[in-house]
Amino acid sequence: MAIGKETTAWRITMPGMLTTVQDAGRIGYQQYGMPVAGAMDGESYRLGQRLVGNDTDMGALECTVMGPSFISEGPAVIAFTGADMSPAVNGTPVPMNTPLAVAPGDEVTTGFAGCGVRMYIAVRGGVRVTPVNGSVATHGKSGIGGFKGRKLQKDDVLTVARAVEVPQLHVDPDYEGPFNGTTPIRVVLGPQHERFTKEARHTFFTSPYLITPTSDRMGYRLAGQALTHTDGADIISDGAVFGSIQVPSDGQPIILMADRQTTGGYTKIGTVITPDLPRLAQMPVETTIHFTEVTVEEAQALYREYKEREASWVQTKEKAVSLLYSSVLPWGETEKRLSIRNDSYV
């Protein structure tokens, strides 16, 4: 997309470990074999969209383990959410979960995640790439969507919306984010749970499982006590959803994640409930997790409570205060100045 009056560019100076353009996912095309993709941690993604004032799901950067660095050629309004990767503008640290403005020539840098593994960089008006089936989400294995269907590389030039108005929003101080890695992951028994022995179902909910280094955006491969089938691991392929827990013949569970296939032919012992998917997405490899069973009715109630809490996380400031960054001080030194103003960057 060409740079115009309504857009500007970000020049990538360091791409990070795995930085891709994501949105809420490619919804409505699984029957044609098209994976959903989208943000792994939907909670942090949605928080960023709200903070920058996007009223629909737009393209954002998902950064894994280590984030990118880039130079903004024009004004933009951004927010960092999810894992804290120590974002800074022109060398000065900036807060997480806060909408802020970057000026022309500003350099945005990030580092390694201190807590969690995925950070999101939301931008007012979105990252502008060509949609595929109504979504800009990157599905790397098929080379579809996002920026050229792949992760970002050094010297890539991203087109983003040009914006100067910083929304007067802040995050509830009580918001903790999806980083509780000690509470068990809640699971509803799956459509083939009867294909596992009673002992296997007991084992699944009482034994620890390790997220292995072979895990990725498609699925988390776990290692732990093997689960025994009553009549083999294979089934006639049926639909795969975010959080489905497949168990192939080796008895080791695989949790299907954002880049999952559209159907699967292995027995599914259960499905992770929606409120726990962001926590799961923020867990690094070698994390030990435990599962606990909930009923469908309990899962529905937990989901309603979760969405009610989510609605209160972003609040309007009492007074209009913008964060404005100026790249150069009046005496010419190249350093950062934070200004508090009651109007927008012009």
Side-chain angles (χ1 to χ4, degrees), residues 39-40 76 97-98 104 116 129-130 137 147 152 164 190 201 206 210 248 261-262 277 306 323 333 336 341 344:
M40 285 277 280
N97 300 333
T98 302
V129 292
T130 303
F147 185 85
L152 296 188
V164 297
R201 294 196 295 270
T206 57
L210 190 73
Q261 69 275 24
T262 58
L277 291 174
Y306 174 73
L323 292 178
E333 292 185 18
K336 193 71 172 162
R341 293 176 49 171
S344 303

Side-chain angles (χ1 to χ4, degrees), residues 18 40 62-67 82-85 113-120 179 220 279-285 287:
L18 175 61
M40 285 277 280
E62 179 181 270
C63 320
T64 306
V65 180
M66 182 180 72
D84 188 346
M85 295 186 182
C115 178
V117 293
R118 290 182 173 84
M119 180 180 75
Y120 294 84
F179 303 111
Y220 278 12
R279 289 201 297 124
L280 192 62
Q282 290 292 354
M283 292 179 180
V285 298
T287 296

Side-chain angles (χ1 to χ4, degrees), residues 220-240:
Y220 278 12
R221 292 181 175 271
L222 308 182
Q225 190 166 342
L227 304 177
T228 305
H229 298 85
T230 60
D231 189 23
D234 297 332
I235 60 170
I236 297 174
S237 292
D238 61 7

Side-chain angles (χ1 to χ4, degrees), residues 65 113-118 178-185 207-215 220-225 252-253 255 257 276-291:
V65 180
C115 178
V117 293
R118 290 182 173 84
F179 303 111
N180 185 345
T182 59
T183 302
I185 297 295
S207 300
Y209 285 88
L210 190 73
I211 301 175
T212 69
T214 55
S215 301
Y220 278 12
R221 292 181 175 271
L222 308 182
Q225 190 166 342
Q252 299 299 321
I255 307 176
M257 302 298 283
D276 285 358
L277 291 174
R279 289 201 297 124
L280 192 62
Q282 290 292 354
M283 292 179 180
V285 298
E286 306 295 346
T287 296
T288 298
I289 59 177
H290 295 80
F291 298 101

Side-chain angles (χ1 to χ4, degrees), residues 287-328:
T287 296
T288 298
I289 59 177
H290 295 80
F291 298 101
T292 188
E293 182 183 354
V294 295
T295 66
V296 172
E297 293 75 19
E298 288 170 334
Q300 291 171 339
L302 289 167
Y303 178 75
R304 287 192 293 268
E305 293 171 4
Y306 174 73
K307 298 305 287 186
E308 288 172 0
R309 292 196 308 274
E310 185 178 44
S312 67
W313 288 339
V314 176
Q315 301 171 358
T316 303
K317 293 180 180 179
E318 293 182 2
K319 295 182 179 180
V321 177
S322 296
L323 292 178
L324 171 68
Y325 291 95
S326 175
S327 300
V328 182

Side-chain angles (χ1 to χ4, degrees), residues 132-143:
V132 177
N133 293 126
S135 169
V136 299
T138 306
H139 187 258
K141 291 184 183 296
S142 60

Side-chain angles (χ1 to χ4, degrees), residues 122-184:
V123 56
R124 186 174 177 89
V127 176
R128 303 295 181 89
V129 292
T130 303
V132 177
N133 293 126
S135 169
V136 299
T138 306
H139 187 258
K141 291 184 183 296
S142 60
I144 290 173
F147 185 85
K148 299 182 179 181
R150 58 167 171 79
K151 65 181 182 180
L152 296 188
Q153 299 175 2
K154 187 178 184 298
D155 297 326
D156 282 343
V157 179
L158 279 179
T159 300
V160 302
R162 183 183 183 93
V164 297
E165 182 181 354
V166 181
Q168 309 310 314
L169 300 170
H170 72 98
V171 174
D172 187 327
D174 293 332
Y175 175 71
E176 297 180 348
F179 303 111
N180 185 345
T182 59
T183 302

